[in-house]
Amino acid sequence: MNTIKNRILRNLGISYINRIFKVINGPTFVSIFFTRKCNFDCYYCATSKGQIKSDISVKQWKNIVNHLYNQGCRFITIYGGEPTLRSDLGELLKHCINLNVFTHVVTNGALLNEDLLEEFVSYGYFLLGISIDCFKESNSSPKKYRPELINILQDIKKKNPENIDYSIHIINTKENIKELIPLIRTIKNKLNCRFSIDPVHSSKKPNEQYQYRSFCPELLLKKETISRLRKVIQNLKRQGIQLMSPNSYYYYMDKWYQNKYFWKCDAGDLYYAIDNDGTVMLCEDVKTPIKFNDFIKLSHKTRVKKINKFKFEYCDCFKPCYWNPTNFVKHPLRNYIYKYRFR
Ligand code: SF4
Ligand code: SF4
């Protein structure tokens, strides 16, 4: 059946294959900060703190998406801040879907309602990511489980099975790690969804340049907890819980935390981010002053060289959204074999 969803997923697969064989040299995926404003103030998040640059218009965003599309990119994440704070989010989403781009909208869900979701699914297929950290609001995160929202999501999926999928994003901290399994089970019992489980990251020094993370060493998981988390995740997978990342991601994440695995980040090449003012970022964490419209005019080689000058000396991260596409494109065979090894 040639549904919009199948078409979009097929296009995404082709774009990855084209990138593996260097038919294209554009990014495999790009995340965009549609706005940096947020209606929440999570302690571990720096996205909306101290931001003064104003958002570019939806027309400018659509133009950026067209450029990305022409470069072969078929995977765009729209987030913020809180993207639903902008009333023109639907317009951008519709534009991406019309281009058959795999579009992932990530929200804290506070402003989602049936009417808005009905509007979004009327445009075609997209992946909706909802951030939920805990059952009850905690000191570090107001992103709590809301049964009424889960019911709405379930209804929308029932009515439009081909136009929407869900991913639930859980940031694990020392505060909420004990709730992880009950939270996943509770949500899974009600909603057909995938989970993204990601330990909280903290900047290394207070007040440094990271754009996404705050300095919160007291929330970081211990290395032993990360090792246990990997086993927990493997068990969850065996029980049929679907995760956004493969087991190999968690295997390497554990090694990375123990300093036994080094990951060469390909920010600026295989992926980058675009800030709310239309400037290019290496990733969600590292800003540059380069305007996207200037950046896109450069050759691929110059782009990568220029943007990488902005990498911090102490730059580090092990975020799934960077590691997964990098691993897929750079090690396609290993990726395939490891699917079975880490089962
Ligand atoms: S983590 Fe998400 S919901 Fe929380 S402040 Fe940051 S952007 Fe807003
Ligand atoms: S290592 Fe790469 S992806 Fe990670 S924070 Fe630095 S530039 Fe971003």
Side-chain angles (χ1 to χ4, degrees):
M1 216 172 20
N2 193 19
T3 60
I4 304 176
K5 176 175 170 177
N6 287 345
R7 205 163 55 235
I8 286 179
L9 293 177
R10 195 174 53 236
N11 280 348
L12 177 64
I14 293 171
S15 81
Y16 273 67
I17 291 166
N18 282 340
R19 193 56 161 85
I20 290 170
F21 291 103
K22 299 191 172 32
V23 178
I24 54 171
N25 58 18
T28 49
F29 101 101
V30 170
S31 25
I32 62 183
F33 285 90
F34 193 44
T35 181
R36 276 193 176 263
K37 297 185 194 89
C38 191
N39 44 353
F40 284 176
D41 185 16
C42 303
Y43 175 53
Y44 54 69
C45 174
T47 306
S48 57
K49 296 181 179 97
Q51 294 297 325
I52 39 164
K53 301 259 169 66
S54 48
D55 300 337
I56 57 172
S57 70
V58 74
K59 195 173 162 209
Q60 287 168 297
W61 276 122
K62 289 202 275 189
N63 193 31
I64 288 176
V65 167
N66 290 345
H67 278 298
L68 295 171
Y69 177 86
N70 291 336
Q71 291 236 312
C73 176
R74 298 289 182 272
F75 183 177
I76 292 178
T77 296
I78 304 174
Y79 71 161
E82 178 45 46
T84 59
L85 282 175
R86 281 185 65 162
S87 57
D88 46 12
L89 171 62
E91 195 178 331
L92 181 60
L93 178 63
K94 186 178 177 185
H95 185 75
C96 295
I97 295 173
N98 284 344
L99 289 171
N100 288 323
V101 168
F102 181 81
T103 313
H104 187 195
V105 178
V106 182
T107 164
N108 60 37
L111 300 175
L112 286 182
N113 57 45
E114 214 164 331
D115 291 344
L116 194 62
L117 286 168
E118 288 286 6
E119 180 206 319
F120 290 173
V121 289
S122 73
Y123 301 138
Y125 174 76
F126 75 107
L127 176 66
L128 181 65
I130 304 110
S131 306
I132 303 175
D133 284 355
C134 39
F135 282 106
K136 288 195 180 130
E137 208 168 305
S138 69
N139 292 335
S140 59
S141 171
K143 296 185 289 187
K144 64 174 182 181
Y145 167 70
R146 289 187 297 125
E148 64 286 1
L149 174 62
I150 301 291
N151 290 341
I152 294 176
L153 297 175
Q154 194 190 27
D155 280 354
I156 295 285
K157 174 80 181 161
K158 234 185 234 170
K159 286 192 240 162
N160 310 274
E162 287 297 326
N163 283 16
I164 194 158
D165 278 324
Y166 299 121
S167 58
I168 303 295
H169 298 242
I170 305 173
I171 302 287
N172 296 114
T173 67
K174 259 189 196 160
E175 255 187 353
N176 70 0
I177 189 73
K178 286 200 175 127
E179 290 185 23
L180 180 67
I181 296 179
L183 189 61
I184 287 179
R185 292 223 167 101
T186 307
I187 297 172
K188 190 66 199 169
N189 280 340
K190 294 189 161 195
L191 188 70
N192 186 2
C193 61
R194 285 173 180 262
F195 291 88
S196 164
I197 301 173
D198 199 10
V200 71
H201 290 267
S202 167
S203 61
K204 280 191 173 169
K205 304 173 197 167
N207 307 322
E208 287 292 353
Q209 299 114 307
Y210 284 112
Q211 301 293 307
Y212 196 68
R213 10 177 171 166
S214 292
F215 184 64
C216 52
E218 70 282 15
L219 291 180
L220 298 181
L221 298 180
K222 285 188 185 151
K223 284 181 187 167
E224 309 87 81
T225 317
I226 298 276
S227 292
R228 280 204 303 276
L229 181 65
R230 177 169 90 82
K231 293 197 176 105
V232 166
I233 285 169
Q234 234 161 341
N235 273 337
L236 287 170
K237 278 206 164 186
R238 285 193 198 110
Q239 290 163 29
I241 305 286
Q242 291 181 299
L243 298 186
M244 299 285 284
S245 301
N247 279 342
S248 51
Y249 169 70
Y250 295 102
Y251 172 82
Y252 285 112
M253 179 182 76
D254 184 17
K255 288 216 170 303
W256 183 80
Y257 272 91
Q258 294 176 45
N259 295 327
K260 290 182 183 162
Y261 170 74
F262 173 73
W263 173 61
K264 187 191 162 293
C265 141
D266 280 281
D269 180 3
L270 285 171
Y271 50 80
Y272 47 82
I274 303 170
D275 210 352
N276 70 317
D277 60 351
T279 48
V280 182
M281 302 177 74
L282 271 95
C283 62
E284 294 146 15
D285 271 319
V286 184
K287 204 166 166 42
T288 82
I290 311 167
K291 286 270 167 212
F292 177 83
N293 291 340
D294 299 328
F295 182 68
I296 205 70
K297 286 182 197 146
L298 305 172
S299 72
H300 172 71
K301 233 175 161 178
T302 318
R303 275 203 303 267
V304 177
K305 214 167 145 192
K306 194 164 177 178
I307 199 174
N308 266 287
K309 287 192 183 141
F310 294 89
K311 228 178 215 179
F312 303 146
E313 266 170 43
Y314 51 88
C315 216
D316 73 325
C317 74
F318 201 77
K319 284 189 166 186
C321 47
Y322 311 134
W323 188 82
N324 286 331
T326 310
N327 185 50
F328 190 83
V329 170
K330 287 175 81 174
H331 310 287
L333 194 63
R334 188 177 81 178
N335 203 51
Y336 183 74
I337 295 168
Y338 279 26
K339 229 175 138 172
Y340 298 96
R341 178 177 164 195
F342 297 116
R343 211 188 269 261

